């Protein structure tokens, strides 16, 4: 399993203060990272992402203008997770 997918899966299903939209986006991120890791970006379709996330295709486009935008946001989200993890580790060693 890809470490990004594992990090997303370790996140609580719905942290306190999380909105429904954030929960949906998290599901889409998890589905996208898994599918892209399995078959590559070009071969992954929005239909497959929606199906894997358990949402309608329109929900993907409601949250992201395109598959490319979803991927860009997924990368930003992954960088935020990594940054938070590194900061936490640095704080623990200081």
């Amino acid at each position: 399993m890809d470490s990004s997918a594992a990090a997303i899966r370790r996140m609580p299903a719905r942290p306190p203060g999380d909105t429904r939209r954030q929960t949906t986006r998290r599901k889409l991120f998890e589905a996208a990272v898994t599918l892209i890791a399995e078959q590559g970006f070009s071969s992954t379709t929005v239909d497959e992402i929606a199906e894997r996330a358990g949402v309608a295709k329109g929900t993907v486009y409601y949250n992201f203008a395109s598959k490319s935008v979803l991927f860009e946001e997924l990368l930003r989200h992954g960088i935020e997770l990594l940054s938070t993890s590194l900061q936490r580790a640095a704080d623990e060693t200081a």
Side-chain angles (χ1 to χ4, degrees):
M1 174 188 313
D2 181 89
S3 60
S4 299
I8 292 169
R9 284 194 179 99
R10 282 193 303 271
M11 297 173 70
R14 193 154 181 197
D18 200 15
T19 67
R20 183 177 301 252
R21 185 165 189 206
Q22 290 169 324
T23 300
T24 299
R25 289 170 66 97
R26 189 178 350 276
K27 285 184 194 177
L28 292 169
F29 285 158
E30 183 177 327
V33 76
T34 301
L35 287 165
I36 291 168
E38 290 173 1
Q39 57 196 36
F41 177 77
S42 297
S43 297
T44 300
T45 67
V46 171
D47 287 320
E48 291 170 322
I49 294 168
E51 183 179 333
R52 179 74 60 100
V55 300
K57 182 178 179 177
T59 301
V60 178
Y61 287 113
Y62 176 78
N63 285 276
F64 306 99
S66 66
K67 182 175 81 168
S68 293
V69 170
L70 186 157
F71 186 66
E72 290 168 9
E73 290 294 322
L74 177 60
L75 291 175
R76 281 188 193 95
H77 180 70
I79 290 168
E80 287 174 16
L81 290 174
L82 177 61
S83 177
T84 300
S85 178
L86 291 172
Q87 185 61 52
R88 192 173 301 130
D91 291 345
E92 290 173 2
T93 60

